[in-house]
Amino acid sequence: MTATTYNPGKGEGSPVGVAILGLGTVGAEVLRLLGERAGDFERRVGGPVEVRAVAVRDKSKPRPGVDPDLLTDDAFSLVEREDIDVIVEVIGGIDYPRRVVLAALKAGKSVVTANKALVAACGAELSDAAESTGADLFFEAAVAAAIPVVGPLRRSLAGDQVNKVVGIVNGTTNFILDAMDATGADYDDMLAEATRLGYAEADPTADVEGHDAASKAAILSGLAFHTRVTADDVHCEGITGITAEDIAAAKAADCTIKLLATCERVKGEDGTEGISARVYPALIPRRHPLATVRESFNAVFVEADAAGRLMFYGRGAGGNPTASAVLGDLVAAGRNKVFGGRAPGDSTYANLPILDFGEVTTRYHIDLHVDDRVGVLADIARTFADEGISLRTVRQEGANPGARLVIITHSAKEDTLRGCIDALTDLDAVLSINSVIRIEGMDV
Amino acid sequence: MTATTYNPGKGEGSPVGVAILGLGTVGAEVLRLLGERAGDFERRVGGPVEVRAVAVRDKSKPRPGVDPDLLTDDAFSLVEREDIDVIVEVIGGIDYPRRVVLAALKAGKSVVTANKALVAACGAELSDAAESTGADLFFEAAVAAAIPVVGPLRRSLAGDQVNKVVGIVNGTTNFILDAMDATGADYDDMLAEATRLGYAEADPTADVEGHDAASKAAILSGLAFHTRVTADDVHCEGITGITAEDIAAAKAADCTIKLLATCERVKGEDGTEGISARVYPALIPRRHPLATVRESFNAVFVEADAAGRLMFYGRGAGGNPTASAVLGDLVAAGRNKVFGGRAPGDSTYANLPILDFGEVTTRYHIDLHVDDRVGVLADIARTFADEGISLRTVRQEGANPGARLVIITHSAKEDTLRGCIDALTDLDAVLSINSVIRIEGMDV
């Protein structure tokens, strides 16, 4: 959190000129609220907040209620304008907003963005640009919309050591998994339901494959551990392979399945610290606070040395909640333009190594289809023992033909587990491995 | 959130001199962590954070691990020292810390305090003093310890309109009520249990009578509604009158009883806005997120126009969590000393009127002992109807002699309800009014 340059401020009562890039759901809501609550914003910022331009792709599209004189299709021209102090980027995508935001920061404009993909992919480059001119770069809306997460990690917990962040940070997948849990239905049906209700986009890939959550995991890890983490550093698995049988097996273990973004500080065998950032569907016990997060809600669970366990909960998406987070950042950016000073910037001093995913330790829920004959369980238990993995519970059910074994292990490394799965596959008695799902949160 | 003066900053790498007032549990933890994590603090603040003095009442008391040269019993002398930039006040009480903190702020020292009573009672005076010199006044630890609440209300939600804040902000009373709910035991027994386990102080008055929660309600209301609210503005009732029968009746209504600090924006009949801040034990439905807050945990539920419903959850007391919040504030105060700028200060521009408690509208759970004869229910229902209060449910149970009536009303004003209770008392058929408890959160 260093800042070599800072803006001394324009002085109390000075207007703050704002340009909005993008006039989709969020941009339109930001524009509306800035107009309707102009008095509040002026008092909270210390000077009037004036929207001076709105960049859109197609100027000719009718936009009721929007002053046409504000519209431009040349976002880059805004970056040069003296009368614009803060740029709000709510376009989405990476390449185009990256170029505009970089140009804006280099021109000394503070930037508020809701773009998690951009921040996760290009955080270093953007921070360097902000650093070079003393501009602020804010992105509270990029993780869990209006749920304050970026601010608490960056500021409220700045005096603590964060050890773990576990979040349900994608509403689409939580809606689908919650609906599967509630109804017993299969993935495809609940994805269709989510699409019908507007919780899933026409192309749901970024959500259901975990990419959206991985961007957020990268941002959360970076903030929590003062280390540079990009989306590429995050091990990512989606929920498309989760079946109704998996959900039922989770229930039988008094668990539910959630897509978790897990960011963890890990101490290696040699005492050195590293971090792990990963996204995958996992079983969590129903008594865990994250298990109670229903529908499309989001929640972020934080464990810190002194603060202990905290949870932040709310709506993690949608035009209004995202606008709320953007506007909170805009007030902070505006205040700094008026009164001087800078928000804490990028903090990557700890520079902890990012662990190979194979080194990550969790528990596992393994669902096997096996021959139903004497000695099979002994063979399988021996295979786990040979790999050094202890079993916590084994549950056997009749199947036809054969039997079903549901095994919950104690903690083991991913690499070890993979070796064990290979060995199990080689056993004649193992007819198939139905699923291997990780378990989180059993210590809460 | 205005700031007429601000500190231009000492420049990156400059040390930040800190004095700690009070070396109890929190002060000792702050001192320890500043020592153990000096490297982290230096990187996060932008310069080394150096504890240069610790003020204690009794210098002669042995304090293992504390450099005796740091100790002084003259807190006022620290205020004058050029080498001290930030003062951490963790003494408690009002009169003495008020005088020291005022002197510090007037001398341009930034202050971090964990003292809710001080902030709730003297917030205006302290803010004015901070304003006069451009110093920062931080108090995240004053409400719910390490759970970020002050920061989110002041910063993250600065672009939104907060309509309601409902908090479980006192761990002692939540422990007692949760234990009563879990065991069916009576208040006195569970207070004794809380005392035995260290959750209640030897003199539990401030907790069980609701005064501690009322201070926090004042602070939360002020932040949420940009209005000056002191503890005296908060209607306050404690939990000492809650009986095992009340808890059992709440269970029968699928509710639990919590001591709630409720801060609400209310629109009057003439369209004018006002606010209500109140603390009392209330029934909340078991499905409400606050109902799941167990033991001594705290949680704060926020409803804002754009953000929707948010909840913040964690440990709301204790040396470590409080130290975490204090240190987060200290990093912010230190950064501003190094890099310049000020945190958002007091914001009271909205200056909304504080509603008389009689104007507050809630639902009520009323437990009556009545004669068991034909026509009694009709008489009682008529009494409610005459006062304009609609009934939601009436449950009748045998009692000996007579009968027990448990009534849940629809929303009514406190004044109206009081009139109704008086009228019920006058009915011959009403033998006694066992309890009247408010109900919150039925709309969630």
Side-chain angles (χ1 to χ4, degrees):
Chain A
M1 297 189 186
T2 57
T4 48
T5 319
Y6 77 98
N7 189 328
K10 300 161 73 173
E12 189 165 1
S14 306
V16 175
V18 174
I20 301 174
L21 311 187
L23 205 53
T25 318
V26 178
E29 193 61 15
V30 166
L31 184 62
R32 183 181 73 80
L33 288 168
L34 283 173
E36 282 182 9
R37 301 235 181 96
D40 284 320
F41 282 100
E42 178 167 354
R43 300 303 293 267
R44 297 179 191 182
V45 166
V49 177
E50 298 174 358
V51 178
R52 291 180 174 154
V54 178
V56 293
R57 197 179 304 175
D58 178 4
K59 268 177 69 173
S60 66
K61 195 171 152 187
R63 301 176 193 271
V66 179
D67 176 358
D69 290 347
L70 290 177
L71 296 176
T72 173
D73 53 13
D74 180 7
F76 285 96
S77 70
L78 304 177
V79 165
E80 305 296 327
R81 276 172 55 174
E82 284 285 323
D83 65 335
I84 289 174
D85 302 295
V86 184
I87 288 189
V88 173
E89 187 273 304
V90 284
I91 308 174
I94 296 186
D95 181 55
Y96 176 69
R98 170 183 159 273
R99 287 184 289 122
V100 184
V101 166
L102 273 177
L105 292 167
K106 284 177 183 165
K109 317 293 185 201
S110 290
V111 171
V112 175
T113 177
N115 190 330
K116 61 225 137 202
L118 175 66
V119 176
C122 312
E125 195 180 18
L126 300 182
S127 297
D128 288 348
E131 201 58 37
S132 71
T133 60
D136 280 325
L137 171 64
F138 286 103
F139 49 86
E140 178 66 66
V143 183
I147 309 173
V149 177
V150 173
L153 283 173
R154 174 163 277 176
R155 293 182 293 215
S156 316
L157 289 163
D160 209 331
Q161 175 175 295
V162 176
N163 294 319
K164 195 165 185 177
V165 180
V166 186
I168 295 173
V169 290
N170 181 275
T172 305
T173 48
N174 201 59
F175 180 89
I176 294 171
L177 292 171
D178 182 44
M180 289 174 71
D181 185 89
T183 64
D186 225 323
Y187 170 78
D188 288 334
D189 291 339
M190 293 302 99
L191 170 60
E193 176 77 354
T195 309
R196 194 179 65 77
L197 294 172
Y199 289 118
E201 292 179 43
D203 176 1
T205 311
D207 292 317
V208 299
E209 296 293 356
H211 304 145
D212 173 82
S215 289
K216 293 163 180 169
I219 296 171
L220 291 172
S221 301
L223 293 167
F225 307 128
H226 299 268
T227 291
R228 174 86 58 221
V229 183
T230 72
D232 290 342
D233 297 318
V234 181
H235 175 88
C236 176
E237 300 174 26
I239 67 163
T240 56
I242 299 295
T243 64
E245 289 69 40
D246 294 332
I247 299 274
K251 277 190 184 175
D254 206 22
C255 288
T256 185
I257 297 180
K258 297 288 187 189
L259 183 69
L260 300 181
T262 302
C263 315
E264 199 172 11
R265 181 190 297 271
V266 186
K267 200 160 253 177
E269 280 151 20
D270 58 353
T272 57
E273 284 195 322
I275 64 173
S276 155
R278 52 196 199 259
V279 169
Y280 47 61
L283 275 77
I284 52 170
R286 288 203 179 263
R287 69 175 183 280
H288 193 288
L290 288 174
T292 65
V293 177
R294 304 293 308 271
E295 300 170 0
S296 66
F297 279 86
N298 279 198
V300 177
F301 188 80
V302 176
E303 284 183 30
D305 245 22
R309 289 168 172 154
L310 303 170
M311 193 168 87
F312 311 98
Y313 169 91
R315 286 230 173 266
N320 284 350
T322 307
S324 172
V326 165
L327 289 167
D329 281 349
L330 180 55
V331 168
R335 275 189 62 82
N336 288 346
K337 289 291 183 187
V338 170
F339 294 109
R342 283 190 69 196
D346 206 24
S347 174
T348 58
Y349 73 88
N351 197 21
L352 295 171
I354 293 158
L355 246 68
D356 191 80
F357 185 63
E359 297 294 304
V360 169
T361 297
T362 55
R363 295 182 175 84
Y364 303 87
H365 179 277
I366 301 162
D367 188 343
L368 301 173
H369 187 199
V370 299
D371 267 346
D372 188 14
R373 56 175 165 76
V374 174
V376 169
L377 182 54
D379 288 350
I380 289 171
R382 167 58 46 206
T383 306
F384 278 95
D386 286 348
E387 301 285 340
I389 300 177
S390 309
L391 305 187
R392 185 184 158 108
T393 63
V394 179
R395 185 163 58 82
Q396 183 156 5
E397 278 178 15
N400 190 6
R404 182 185 179 198
L405 274 189
V406 178
I407 294 168
I408 292 179
T409 73
H410 284 287
S411 291
K413 280 193 181 175
E414 286 285 337
D415 275 346
T416 312
L417 191 274
R418 272 181 235 157
C420 182
I421 295 295
D422 289 346
L424 287 171
T425 310
D426 289 345
L427 288 182
D428 287 341
V430 173
L431 304 178
S432 66
I433 293 171
N434 299 330
S435 72
V436 179
I437 307 179
R438 298 167 191 93
I439 308 177
E440 297 276 357
M442 292 201 80
D443 49 345
V444 172
Chain B
M1 298 187 189
T2 58
T4 49
T5 319
Y6 78 97
N7 188 327
K10 300 162 73 173
E12 188 166 2
S14 306
V16 175
V18 174
I20 301 175
L21 311 186
L23 204 53
T25 320
V26 178
E29 194 61 15
V30 166
L31 183 63
R32 182 182 73 81
L33 289 167
L34 282 174
E36 282 182 10
R37 302 236 182 94
D40 284 321
F41 282 101
E42 177 166 358
R43 301 303 292 265
R44 296 179 191 183
V45 166
V49 178
E50 299 173 358
V51 177
R52 292 181 175 155
V54 177
V56 293
R57 196 180 305 173
D58 178 4
K59 269 177 69 174
S60 66
K61 194 171 153 186
R63 301 175 193 273
V66 179
D67 176 358
D69 290 346
L70 290 176
L71 296 177
T72 172
D73 52 12
D74 180 8
F76 284 98
S77 70
L78 304 177
V79 166
E80 305 296 326
R81 276 173 56 174
E82 284 286 323
D83 66 335
I84 289 175
D85 302 295
V86 184
I87 287 189
V88 172
E89 187 272 304
V90 284
I91 309 175
I94 297 187
D95 181 55
Y96 175 69
R98 171 183 158 273
R99 286 184 290 123
V100 184
V101 166
L102 273 177
L105 292 168
K106 284 177 182 164
K109 318 293 185 200
S110 290
V111 171
V112 175
T113 177
N115 190 330
K116 59 224 141 204
L118 175 66
V119 176
C122 313
E125 194 180 19
L126 300 182
S127 298
D128 288 349
E131 201 58 37
S132 71
T133 59
D136 280 326
L137 171 65
F138 286 101
F139 49 87
E140 179 65 68
V143 183
I147 309 172
V149 177
V150 173
L153 284 173
R154 173 163 277 175
R155 294 182 291 215
S156 316
L157 289 163
D160 209 331
Q161 175 176 294
V162 177
N163 294 318
K164 196 166 184 177
V165 180
V166 187
I168 293 172
V169 290
N170 180 275
T172 306
T173 48
N174 201 58
F175 180 88
I176 294 170
L177 292 171
D178 183 44
M180 289 173 71
D181 186 88
T183 64
D186 224 322
Y187 170 78
D188 288 333
D189 291 339
M190 292 304 99
L191 170 61
E193 176 78 356
T195 309
R196 194 179 65 78
L197 294 172
Y199 289 118
E201 293 180 43
D203 176 2
T205 310
D207 293 317
V208 300
E209 295 294 355
H211 304 145
D212 173 82
S215 290
K216 293 163 179 169
I219 296 171
L220 292 172
S221 301
L223 293 167
F225 307 129
H226 299 268
T227 291
R228 173 85 58 219
V229 184
T230 72
D232 290 342
D233 297 320
V234 181
H235 175 87
C236 177
E237 301 173 26
I239 67 163
T240 55
I242 299 296
T243 64
E245 289 69 38
D246 294 332
I247 300 275
K251 276 192 182 173
D254 207 22
C255 288
T256 186
I257 296 181
K258 296 288 189 190
L259 183 70
L260 300 181
T262 302
C263 317
E264 200 172 11
R265 182 190 295 271
V266 185
K267 201 160 251 176
E269 279 152 20
D270 58 354
T272 57
E273 284 194 322
I275 64 173
S276 156
R278 51 195 198 260
V279 169
Y280 46 61
L283 275 77
I284 52 169
R286 289 204 178 262
R287 69 175 183 280
H288 193 289
L290 288 176
T292 64
V293 178
R294 303 292 308 273
E295 301 169 359
S296 66
F297 278 86
N298 280 197
V300 177
F301 188 79
V302 177
E303 284 183 33
D305 246 22
R309 288 169 173 154
L310 304 170
M311 192 168 89
F312 311 98
Y313 170 90
R315 287 229 173 266
N320 285 350
T322 307
S324 172
V326 164
L327 289 166
D329 280 349
L330 180 56
V331 168
R335 276 188 62 81
N336 288 347
K337 289 291 182 185
V338 170
F339 294 109
R342 284 189 67 197
D346 205 26
S347 174
T348 58
Y349 72 87
N351 196 22
L352 295 171
I354 293 159
L355 246 68
D356 192 80
F357 186 63
E359 297 295 303
V360 168
T361 297
T362 55
R363 295 182 177 84
Y364 303 87
H365 180 278
I366 302 163
D367 189 342
L368 301 173
H369 186 199
V370 298
D371 266 348
D372 188 13
R373 57 176 166 76
V374 174
V376 169
L377 182 54
D379 288 349
I380 289 171
R382 168 57 48 205
T383 305
F384 278 95
D386 286 347
E387 302 285 341
I389 300 177
S390 309
L391 304 187
R392 185 185 159 108
T393 62
V394 179
R395 186 165 57 83
Q396 184 157 4
E397 278 179 14
N400 192 3
R404 181 184 179 197
L405 275 188
V406 177
I407 295 168
I408 292 179
T409 74
H410 283 288
S411 292
K413 280 192 180 175
E414 285 285 336
D415 275 346
T416 312
L417 190 273
R418 272 181 235 158
C420 183
I421 294 296
D422 289 344
L424 287 171
T425 309
D426 289 344
L427 288 182
D428 286 341
V430 174
L431 304 178
S432 66
I433 293 172
N434 298 329
S435 72
V436 179
I437 307 180
R438 298 168 191 92
I439 307 176
E440 298 276 358
M442 292 201 79
D443 49 344
V444 171

